Amino acid sequence: MKIARIHNLGLGTLMIAFLFFNISCGKDNPVDKIIPYVVVNFSFDVNGVNYNNVNIPGNWTYVTGGYRGIIIYHVIGDEYKAYERTSPVNYPNDFNCRVNVDDSGIIAVDECSESKFILLDGSPYEGPATLPLKQYRTRLEGQYLHVFN
């Protein structure tokens, strides 16, 4: 009998944890309300010559995809970040505005609002931006970086 009670208690605890996880992870990201959702699901060879030596930490490259393009930034080791080039400050319909990496290689700039973002985590650094850059998920598998949402 004690085994059955322990088992039922474990199942109940597991169900509560699952519900809590779903509720806490179900919160909307404010950036997702500003920038339209598009499916992102591609891989590329980080050692490829077309990718600006992104296999070296601190380097970055632009790739097509997302709503208005994506910045891939190599943080360190196996950690890569992928950011949407659409600024969270300006309307997504203004195709003249795009986020670009500046000469420092660690700051991205929305040239229309002059907001600046740190590529280590996408957070706003300077200017009117209050939201971070929209980020896509990444996973390094061997020499191939998988970018997806």
Side-chain angles (χ1 to χ4, degrees), residues 1 19 26 65 81 84 92 108 112-113 129 131 135 139 146 148:
M1 281 301 242
L19 289 172
K81 301 287 184 169
E84 173 64 47
C112 292
S113 73
L131 296 172
Q135 188 170 341
R139 181 176 58 242
H146 185 66
F148 57 101

Side-chain angles (χ1 to χ4, degrees), residues 121-139:
D121 63 3
S123 63
Y125 167 69
E126 188 176 292
T130 57
L131 296 172
L133 292 173
K134 179 179 178 115
Q135 188 170 341
Y136 299 105
R137 296 167 51 189
T138 63
R139 181 176 58 242

Side-chain angles (χ1 to χ4, degrees), residues 33-54:
K33 293 179 181 178
I34 296 169
I35 300 170
Y37 177 86
V38 292
V39 174
V40 173
N41 187 12
F42 64 90
S43 297
F44 69 94
D45 182 349
V46 295
N47 296 320
V49 294
N50 297 331
Y51 296 107
N52 199 28
N53 293 320
V54 76

Side-chain angles (χ1 to χ4, degrees), residues 1 9 13 26-27 34 43 46 49 52-53 60 64 76 87 97-99 104-105 112 119 133 135-136 142 144:
M1 281 301 242
L9 179 62
T13 304
K27 295 180 182 175
I34 296 169
S43 297
V46 295
V49 294
N52 199 28
N53 293 320
W60 58 272
T64 57
I76 191 165
S87 174
C97 296
R98 189 177 280 184
V99 176
S104 73
C112 292
L119 289 175
L133 292 173
Q135 188 170 341
Y136 299 105
Y144 290 92

